[in-house]
């Protein structure tokens, strides 16, 4: 504790106090949390977790995740990554083609809507210009 306190710049008495409080809460059993950082797990470990949790219910998955120190969302992301990693190049091409086709269709729809709105805006601007010219010709005030 003294070495850790010196490295981290924390008072030794503070660390002893935290330790005693933690031991009082955990019935004398020291249980350190596992590192749940995504980048600390190797791909083999992630795959093993996906395999182990494949047949678990939601409650069992949550319990498993608490024991391993990971979140259920992480396990679901890892499962998706495993599934996408096992797709053949033909399947990947097919998915990309479908996505491109949907994107092109959406772009065409947006361009059509943009042209319609630009035409409406141009028409409104032309009507305003004509109204001002007509009012100027008749000598009327625009506020009337």
């Amino acid at each position: 504790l003294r070495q850790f306190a010196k490295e981290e710049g924390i008072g030794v008495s503070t660390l002893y106090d935290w330790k005693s409080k933690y031991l009082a809460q955990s019935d004398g059993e020291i249980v350190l949390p596992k590192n749940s950082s995504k980048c600390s797990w190797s791909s083999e470990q992630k795959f093993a977790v996906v395999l182990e949790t494949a047949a678990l219910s939601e409650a069992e998955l949550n319990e498993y995740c608490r024991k391993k120190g990971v979140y259920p969302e992480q396990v679901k992301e890892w499962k998706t990554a495993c599934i996408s990693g096992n797709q053949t190049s033909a399947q990947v091409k097919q998915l990309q083609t479908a996505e491109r086709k949907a994107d092109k269709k959406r772009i065409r729809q947006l361009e059509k809507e943009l042209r319609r709105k630009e035409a409406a805006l141009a028409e409104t601007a032309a009507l305003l210009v004509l109204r001002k010219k007509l009012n100027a010709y008749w000598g009327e005030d625009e506020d009337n």
Side-chain angles (χ1 to χ4, degrees):
L1 280 176
R2 290 183 195 281
Q3 181 184 358
F4 180 76
K6 184 178 178 183
E7 289 174 3
E8 297 300 319
I10 301 172
V12 177
S13 59
T14 305
L15 287 178
Y16 277 110
D17 186 44
W18 289 349
K19 179 183 174 187
S20 62
K21 286 180 183 178
Y22 182 76
L23 290 174
Q25 289 177 347
S26 64
D27 298 327
E29 186 179 316
I30 297 178
V31 181
L32 297 175
K34 293 181 174 63
N35 188 358
S36 63
S37 175
K38 290 182 183 182
C39 58
S40 68
W41 290 69
S42 70
S43 57
E44 291 85 11
Q45 290 172 323
K46 291 176 184 179
F47 183 66
V49 169
V50 169
L51 285 178
E52 292 172 3
T53 60
L56 299 180
S57 69
E58 194 70 28
E60 293 169 331
L61 174 65
N62 290 334
E63 182 180 341
Y64 178 88
C65 289
R66 278 191 300 275
K67 287 180 183 176
K68 292 288 186 175
V70 295
Y71 293 103
E73 293 79 19
Q74 288 175 309
V75 175
K76 290 174 185 174
E77 287 176 15
W78 297 344
K79 182 178 180 180
T80 304
C82 289
I83 290 171
S84 65
N86 288 327
Q87 290 180 336
T88 64
S89 61
Q91 290 172 325
V92 171
K93 277 186 177 181
Q94 189 177 20
L95 278 173
Q96 289 175 343
T97 303
E99 288 175 359
R100 267 192 243 113
K101 193 174 187 179
D103 289 344
K104 285 180 182 179
K105 184 177 180 180
R106 178 74 177 139
I107 288 170
R108 273 189 254 119
Q109 288 174 340
L110 291 172
E111 287 175 343
K112 182 178 178 182
E113 186 177 338
L114 181 61
R115 282 191 300 270
R116 182 186 60 80
K117 288 181 178 181
E118 285 177 342
L121 184 61
E123 182 181 349
T124 303
L127 288 173
L128 286 173
V129 168
L130 288 175
R131 182 176 176 193
K132 283 185 179 182
K133 286 184 178 182
L134 183 64
N135 286 342
Y137 179 75
W138 291 103
E140 295 179 8
D141 190 15
E142 289 185 19
D143 295 335
N144 291 338

